[in-house]
Short mmCIF file of all heavy atoms in Angstrom, two decimals:
data_model
loop_
_atom_site.label_atom_id
_atom_site.label_comp_id
_atom_site.label_asym_id
_atom_site.label_seq_id
_atom_site.Cartn_x
_atom_site.Cartn_y
_atom_site.Cartn_z
N TYR A 1478 8.22 25.22 3.86
CA TYR A 1478 8.43 26.49 4.46
C TYR A 1478 8.55 27.52 3.35
O TYR A 1478 9.38 27.32 2.38
CB TYR A 1478 9.82 26.58 5.28
CG TYR A 1478 10.14 27.86 5.71
CD1 TYR A 1478 9.66 28.27 7.07
CD2 TYR A 1478 10.88 28.84 5.06
CE1 TYR A 1478 9.86 29.51 7.60
CE2 TYR A 1478 11.27 30.02 5.67
CZ TYR A 1478 10.80 30.47 6.81
OH TYR A 1478 10.98 31.65 7.47
N HIS A 1480 9.33 31.16 2.10
CA HIS A 1480 10.17 32.37 2.56
C HIS A 1480 9.40 33.48 1.64
O HIS A 1480 9.70 33.47 0.44
CB HIS A 1480 11.60 32.29 2.24
CG HIS A 1480 12.41 33.35 2.78
ND1 HIS A 1480 12.54 33.50 4.04
CD2 HIS A 1480 12.95 34.40 2.29
CE1 HIS A 1480 13.30 34.52 4.45
NE2 HIS A 1480 13.59 35.03 3.38
N SER A 1482 8.99 36.42 -0.29
CA SER A 1482 10.02 37.41 -0.77
C SER A 1482 9.05 38.22 -1.64
O SER A 1482 8.91 37.99 -2.89
CB SER A 1482 11.02 36.81 -1.58
OG SER A 1482 10.55 35.72 -2.28
N ARG A 1485 10.68 41.30 -4.48
CA ARG A 1485 12.23 41.16 -4.89
C ARG A 1485 12.46 40.48 -6.13
O ARG A 1485 13.56 40.22 -6.44
CB ARG A 1485 12.90 40.35 -3.78
CG ARG A 1485 12.87 41.22 -2.40
CD ARG A 1485 13.58 40.29 -1.35
NE ARG A 1485 14.02 41.21 -0.25
CZ ARG A 1485 14.36 40.68 0.84
NH1 ARG A 1485 14.39 39.34 0.99
NH2 ARG A 1485 14.75 41.37 1.81
N LEU A 1489 16.12 39.97 -8.11
CA LEU A 1489 16.57 38.62 -8.22
C LEU A 1489 17.06 38.36 -9.69
O LEU A 1489 18.17 37.84 -9.90
CB LEU A 1489 15.64 37.55 -7.97
CG LEU A 1489 15.28 37.43 -6.45
CD1 LEU A 1489 14.21 36.38 -6.31
CD2 LEU A 1489 16.48 37.18 -5.54
N PRO A 1493 22.42 37.92 -9.40
CA PRO A 1493 22.44 36.60 -9.04
C PRO A 1493 22.89 36.45 -7.48
O PRO A 1493 22.58 35.55 -6.82
CB PRO A 1493 23.50 35.99 -9.87
CG PRO A 1493 24.09 37.07 -10.72
CD PRO A 1493 23.31 38.36 -10.47
N ASN A 1494 23.67 37.42 -7.06
CA ASN A 1494 24.06 37.41 -5.63
C ASN A 1494 22.94 37.63 -4.64
O ASN A 1494 22.87 37.03 -3.55
CB ASN A 1494 25.16 38.54 -5.32
CG ASN A 1494 26.33 38.26 -5.99
OD1 ASN A 1494 26.63 37.22 -6.27
ND2 ASN A 1494 27.12 39.37 -6.29
N GLU A 1495 21.94 38.31 -5.04
CA GLU A 1495 20.80 38.54 -4.12
C GLU A 1495 20.02 37.26 -4.20
O GLU A 1495 19.43 36.92 -3.09
CB GLU A 1495 19.93 39.67 -4.84
CG GLU A 1495 18.57 39.94 -4.03
CD GLU A 1495 18.77 40.60 -2.78
OE1 GLU A 1495 19.86 40.93 -2.37
OE2 GLU A 1495 17.73 40.73 -2.11
N PHE A 1496 19.89 36.47 -5.16
CA PHE A 1496 19.29 35.18 -5.11
C PHE A 1496 19.93 34.22 -4.18
O PHE A 1496 19.25 33.66 -3.34
CB PHE A 1496 19.29 34.58 -6.58
CG PHE A 1496 18.39 33.25 -6.74
CD1 PHE A 1496 17.11 33.24 -6.55
CD2 PHE A 1496 19.18 32.04 -6.68
CE1 PHE A 1496 16.37 32.01 -6.66
CE2 PHE A 1496 18.43 30.88 -6.65
CZ PHE A 1496 17.08 30.83 -6.75
N GLY A 1497 21.12 34.27 -4.21
CA GLY A 1497 22.01 33.33 -3.32
C GLY A 1497 21.80 33.77 -1.82
O GLY A 1497 21.67 33.08 -0.94
N ARG A 1498 21.78 35.10 -1.61
CA ARG A 1498 21.65 35.61 -0.31
C ARG A 1498 20.19 35.28 0.30
O ARG A 1498 20.04 34.87 1.42
CB ARG A 1498 21.76 37.14 -0.18
CG ARG A 1498 21.90 37.74 1.07
CD ARG A 1498 21.90 39.28 1.06
NE ARG A 1498 20.77 39.99 0.61
CZ ARG A 1498 19.45 39.80 1.24
NH1 ARG A 1498 19.42 39.26 2.43
NH2 ARG A 1498 18.40 40.33 0.70
N LEU A 1499 19.14 35.45 -0.67
CA LEU A 1499 17.78 35.13 -0.18
C LEU A 1499 17.80 33.66 0.09
O LEU A 1499 17.11 33.25 1.14
CB LEU A 1499 16.93 35.42 -1.28
CG LEU A 1499 16.12 36.80 -1.04
CD1 LEU A 1499 15.15 37.00 -2.29
CD2 LEU A 1499 15.38 36.86 0.13
N ASN A 1500 18.41 32.79 -0.64
CA ASN A 1500 18.35 31.35 -0.48
C ASN A 1500 18.94 31.01 0.87
O ASN A 1500 18.44 30.21 1.75
CB ASN A 1500 19.05 30.59 -1.48
CG ASN A 1500 18.14 30.01 -2.61
OD1 ASN A 1500 17.02 30.11 -2.49
ND2 ASN A 1500 18.79 29.58 -3.66
N ALA A 1501 20.07 31.62 1.23
CA ALA A 1501 20.75 31.39 2.53
C ALA A 1501 19.82 31.94 3.69
O ALA A 1501 19.80 31.21 4.77
CB ALA A 1501 22.12 32.08 2.59
N GLU A 1502 19.20 33.02 3.50
CA GLU A 1502 18.31 33.69 4.46
C GLU A 1502 17.21 32.78 4.72
O GLU A 1502 16.91 32.51 5.90
CB GLU A 1502 17.84 34.98 3.93
CG GLU A 1502 17.26 35.97 4.93
CD GLU A 1502 16.82 37.12 4.15
OE1 GLU A 1502 17.63 38.09 3.89
OE2 GLU A 1502 15.59 37.35 3.89
N ALA A 1503 16.60 32.14 3.59
CA ALA A 1503 15.44 31.19 3.74
C ALA A 1503 15.98 29.88 4.51
O ALA A 1503 15.13 29.53 5.34
CB ALA A 1503 14.91 30.83 2.37
N LYS A 1504 16.97 29.46 4.22
CA LYS A 1504 17.57 28.13 4.90
C LYS A 1504 17.78 28.46 6.35
O LYS A 1504 17.20 27.61 7.26
CB LYS A 1504 18.81 27.78 4.30
CG LYS A 1504 18.69 26.89 3.06
CD LYS A 1504 20.02 26.41 2.64
CE LYS A 1504 19.81 25.54 1.32
NZ LYS A 1504 20.81 25.37 0.54
N MET A 1505 18.33 29.58 6.78
CA MET A 1505 18.62 30.01 8.11
C MET A 1505 17.32 30.06 8.85
O MET A 1505 17.13 29.59 9.94
CB MET A 1505 19.40 31.28 8.28
CG MET A 1505 20.86 31.11 7.75
SD MET A 1505 21.81 30.19 8.95
CE MET A 1505 21.79 31.29 10.32
N ALA A 1506 16.32 30.81 8.21
CA ALA A 1506 14.98 30.97 8.87
C ALA A 1506 14.21 29.75 9.07
O ALA A 1506 13.53 29.59 10.10
CB ALA A 1506 14.24 32.01 8.07
N SER A 1507 14.37 28.81 8.25
CA SER A 1507 13.69 27.49 8.15
C SER A 1507 14.06 26.48 9.11
O SER A 1507 13.31 25.69 9.61
CB SER A 1507 13.56 26.94 6.73
OG SER A 1507 14.83 26.41 6.34
N LEU A 1508 15.47 26.55 9.42
CA LEU A 1508 15.92 25.54 10.38
C LEU A 1508 15.21 25.40 11.64
O LEU A 1508 14.77 24.22 11.92
CB LEU A 1508 17.53 25.80 10.67
CG LEU A 1508 18.39 25.37 9.40
CD1 LEU A 1508 19.81 25.84 9.59
CD2 LEU A 1508 18.33 23.90 9.02
N PRO A 1509 15.17 26.44 12.49
CA PRO A 1509 14.42 26.30 13.76
C PRO A 1509 12.98 25.85 13.54
O PRO A 1509 12.34 25.22 14.44
CB PRO A 1509 14.58 27.65 14.47
CG PRO A 1509 15.02 28.67 13.40
CD PRO A 1509 15.51 27.80 12.28
N PHE A 1511 11.70 23.90 11.13
CA PHE A 1511 11.65 22.61 10.82
C PHE A 1511 11.87 21.70 12.08
O PHE A 1511 11.41 20.71 12.41
CB PHE A 1511 12.66 22.17 9.70
CG PHE A 1511 12.18 22.66 8.25
CD1 PHE A 1511 13.21 23.09 7.43
CD2 PHE A 1511 10.86 22.49 7.86
CE1 PHE A 1511 12.79 23.35 6.16
CE2 PHE A 1511 10.57 22.77 6.57
CZ PHE A 1511 11.48 23.30 5.70
N ILE A 1530 11.95 24.20 1.12
CA ILE A 1530 11.81 25.65 1.02
C ILE A 1530 11.58 26.09 -0.30
O ILE A 1530 12.12 25.77 -1.30
CB ILE A 1530 13.20 26.11 1.51
CG1 ILE A 1530 13.65 25.58 2.94
CG2 ILE A 1530 13.10 27.64 1.60
CD1 ILE A 1530 15.19 25.90 3.25
N ARG A 1531 10.50 26.97 -0.24
CA ARG A 1531 10.20 27.65 -1.51
C ARG A 1531 10.14 29.29 -1.34
O ARG A 1531 9.96 29.68 -0.11
CB ARG A 1531 8.76 27.32 -1.99
CG ARG A 1531 8.75 25.94 -2.45
CD ARG A 1531 8.94 25.65 -3.90
NE ARG A 1531 9.00 24.38 -4.32
CZ ARG A 1531 8.13 23.72 -5.12
NH1 ARG A 1531 6.92 24.38 -5.43
NH2 ARG A 1531 8.12 22.51 -5.63
N GLN A 1532 10.37 29.94 -2.35
CA GLN A 1532 10.38 31.42 -2.23
C GLN A 1532 8.99 32.01 -2.90
O GLN A 1532 8.68 31.34 -3.83
CB GLN A 1532 11.50 32.03 -2.94
CG GLN A 1532 12.88 31.65 -2.53
CD GLN A 1532 13.52 32.47 -1.52
OE1 GLN A 1532 12.86 33.53 -1.09
NE2 GLN A 1532 14.79 32.11 -1.13
N LEU A 1562 8.73 37.71 8.04
CA LEU A 1562 9.74 36.77 8.11
C LEU A 1562 9.45 35.46 7.47
O LEU A 1562 10.15 34.80 7.09
CB LEU A 1562 10.25 36.53 9.52
CG LEU A 1562 10.94 37.79 10.04
CD1 LEU A 1562 11.37 37.49 11.49
CD2 LEU A 1562 12.16 38.14 9.26
#
Side-chain angles (χ1 to χ4, degrees):
Y1478 178 88
H1480 193 71
S1482 45
R1485 292 176 161 168
L1489 292 177
N1494 291 332
E1495 179 67 7
F1496 184 75
R1498 191 187 64 71
L1499 260 179
N1500 263 347
E1502 196 178 283
K1504 275 188 182 149
M1505 290 290 292
S1507 70
L1508 284 174
F1511 286 144
I1530 302 169
R1531 294 266 173 107
Q1532 303 266 0
L1562 295 176

